[in-house]
Amino acid sequence: MEVQLRGGAGQALSVRWGGVAAAVMAAVVLGGASGAIGRHYLNATDVRPLPGVTKVEAQPIPTVGPGTEVTPVALPDHVLLQVPFTTQAPLNNWGQHQESCEAANLTMLYLYWTGDQSVVIDPHAADRSIAAIDAWKPALDLNDTQVGELAQQHWGYAYRLVPNDPKVIAQQLAAGRPLLAEVRTHGLGNSHYPGYSSHYEQTGWSVPHFVTIIGYDSTGVWLNDPGISWGRGYHITYAQLTHAIDDLDQHHPNLAQGQVLLLIAPEAHPRVKGGTI
């Protein structure tokens, strides 16, 4: 099954989701590795592009082989990509989507690579996409490789595990390629997560999670984090990102793959040199 993500493709959406409201869901026991976690949701009243977005031509992943070498270029001091955002519960239906971070991140990536210019994805379209991708998952919580395999199997995208290194992050983002990081939620240092201060490392509050790296500068990275409504385009340091990955590896060794990031993108067609077959 292939989900068709449309509804705003090629258009910047100005989404109004009613008035400002916040609702905290406290410790809902759902089972699975993620256990119980409270989430909150803030309805947006004015959705605008993130300040400082840079224009970058997105480049597919080069096919390995002759004729695919890339000439080194100087990297910009910062890049911030316009990647469409959704929470993993776009209709405020957190009870149904406690295990949907993989699907939300894949939804954002798919729309980015198909050229959608939405700032925030239409909530109903996002919810349909997330539900469809959730149905592909072989388990509640996936590791980096399993998420890459979903994109490969259902969309034909390529995936790579790359080192969590500032230079690698800069190289990929400068080529217009967002990256995924598998982390533990509270290890990100975002105080908007429920129980951040009172239950910082408590199992069931800090849980396995995926975020999309959409930008970098000299001090750290910008994230699209679908796990909270305040998750669009916030900045953390490189050290905080490293800690959040280590935090996952320590508490969830079944998901651990070390200090790596996940690159998912269409694969470029190989360039064939003249006189070759």
Side-chain angles (χ1 to χ4, degrees), residues 5 7 12 17-18 50 60 65 70 108 124 131 163 174 192 210 216 237 268:
L5 304 181
W17 296 343
L50 295 170
V70 178
M108 291 189 280
H124 293 279
H192 287 110
F210 275 91
Y216 74 88
T237 65

Side-chain angles (χ1 to χ4, degrees), residues 14-266:
S14 178
V15 182
R16 304 187 74 86
W17 296 343
V20 176
V24 177
M25 298 180 58
V28 181
V29 179
L30 296 175
S34 291
I37 183 170
R39 297 296 173 97
H40 53 242
Y41 186 85
L42 177 68
N43 289 321
T45 57
D46 188 13
V47 177
R48 300 176 182 177
L50 295 170
V53 168
T54 50
K55 277 194 167 294
V56 177
E57 182 179 352
Q59 303 171 35
I61 297 176
T63 304
V64 177
T68 62
E69 296 81 7
V70 178
T71 303
V73 295
L75 295 171
D77 58 6
H78 78 280
V79 165
L80 181 58
L81 303 178
Q82 174 55 55
V83 177
F85 177 74
T86 182
T87 67
Q88 64 195 60
L91 299 179
N92 199 13
N93 47 352
W94 291 103
Q96 300 173 34
H97 291 304
Q98 291 289 306
E99 306 287 352
S100 296
C101 64
E102 297 96 340
N105 282 282
L106 287 175
T107 294
M108 291 189 280
L109 280 181
Y110 183 89
L111 284 178
Y112 173 80
W113 282 110
T114 54
D116 192 288
Q117 298 299 308
S118 301
V119 172
V120 173
I121 304 166
D122 174 79
H124 293 279
D127 192 68
R128 289 192 297 270
S129 169
I130 290 167
I133 296 172
D134 272 343
W136 302 345
K137 291 171 57 176
L140 289 177
D141 291 309
L142 306 182
N143 63 25
D144 291 293
T145 298
Q146 290 171 314
V147 173
E149 288 173 348
L150 286 186
Q152 184 178 68
Q153 292 167 5
H154 294 276
W155 297 329
Y157 286 178
Y159 74 92
R160 307 276 191 274
L161 297 184
V162 300
N164 175 31
D165 176 86
K167 183 177 180 180
V168 173
I169 292 171
Q171 289 171 337
Q172 296 300 332
L173 271 290
R177 303 184 194 116
L179 296 163
L180 297 188
E182 187 168 21
V183 299
R184 200 162 182 246
T185 50
H186 291 41
L188 292 168
N190 190 328
S191 61
H192 287 110
Y193 269 100
Y196 179 81
S197 298
S198 56
H199 302 278
Y200 177 65
E201 289 294 353
Q202 184 176 326
T203 299
W205 291 84
S206 188
V207 299
H209 188 50
F210 275 91
V211 294
T212 300
I213 300 173
I214 63 170
Y216 74 88
D217 63 11
S218 62
T219 62
V221 296
W222 282 276
L223 304 178
N224 266 2
D225 178 353
I228 48 175
S229 57
W230 288 272
R232 183 170 74 97
Y234 70 85
H235 188 276
I236 64 173
T237 65
Y238 289 112
Q240 193 79 54
L241 175 63
T242 297
H243 168 72
I245 296 173
D246 280 341
D247 201 19
L248 173 87
D249 291 355
Q250 177 184 351
H251 289 87
H252 300 276
N254 58 314
L255 300 174
Q257 293 191 274
Q259 281 293 331
V260 297
L261 304 172
L262 175 60
L263 169 62
I264 296 176

